[in-house]
């Protein structure tokens, strides 16, 4: 060998290839060849320190801060149990109440009468079913 001090051996136990342009892992600071320099390729024990992704709550879509050494899944779970605003929202699904006297049904979507513009349930949606007296001539049973 003409240059015995040139290059470094790969730090992967199964490889030990002499590489003249070794790459240093940012997390564990060891030298690796081109095949093993990624954290996944050499199973880096310090890879979690380089993972700076911020998890987002799947319910409220807010970022959940995670400190070093904490497991993101556990922190998001605690956020959902304690701080998540999603549970506090009480969205009413059935908001459109029938305008027919005596009917207490509610619908998810507004079913409006073309003549009187009232909001009705599926049973009372036709002008003849809710005794519609507004608008032009009443529509007969035959059409």
């Amino acid at each position: 060998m003409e240059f015995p001090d040139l290059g470094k051996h790969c730090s992967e136990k199964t490889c030990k290839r002499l590489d003249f342009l070794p790459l240093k892992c940012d997390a564990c600071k060891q030298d690796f060849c081109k095949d093993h320099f990624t954290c996944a390729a050499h199973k880096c024990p310090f890879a979690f320190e380089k993972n700076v992704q911020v998890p987002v709550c799947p319910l409220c879509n807010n970022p959940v801060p995670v400190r070093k050494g904490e497991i993101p899944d556990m922190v998001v779970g605690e956020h959902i149990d304690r701080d998540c605003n999603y549970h506090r929202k009480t969205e009413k699904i059935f908001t459109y109440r029938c305008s027919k006297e005596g009917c207490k049904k509610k619908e998810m979507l507004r079913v409006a009468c073309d003549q009187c513009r009232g909001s009705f349930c599926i049973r009372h949606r036709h002008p003849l079913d809710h005794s519609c007296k507004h608008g032009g001539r009443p529509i007969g049973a035959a059409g």
Side-chain angles (χ1 to χ4, degrees), residues 8-13 16 22-33 36-38 42-46:
K8 293 188 178 181
H9 288 277
C10 179
S11 296
E12 176 64 28
K13 293 175 185 172
K16 298 294 182 189
L23 299 165
K24 188 170 279 203
C25 176
D26 291 338
C28 63
K29 307 294 185 219
Q30 292 182 347
D31 295 312
F32 294 96
C33 66
H36 299 110
F37 80 94
T38 61
H42 69 270
K43 298 180 180 96
C44 185
F46 302 103

Side-chain angles (χ1 to χ4, degrees), residues 11 19 26 45 71 76 88 91 100 107 110 124 133:
S11 296
D19 197 337
D26 291 338
I71 300 171
V76 171
R88 295 186 189 122
E91 258 181 50
K100 170 85 172 161
E107 296 293 332
R110 186 169 190 266
H124 299 117
K133 296 176 182 167

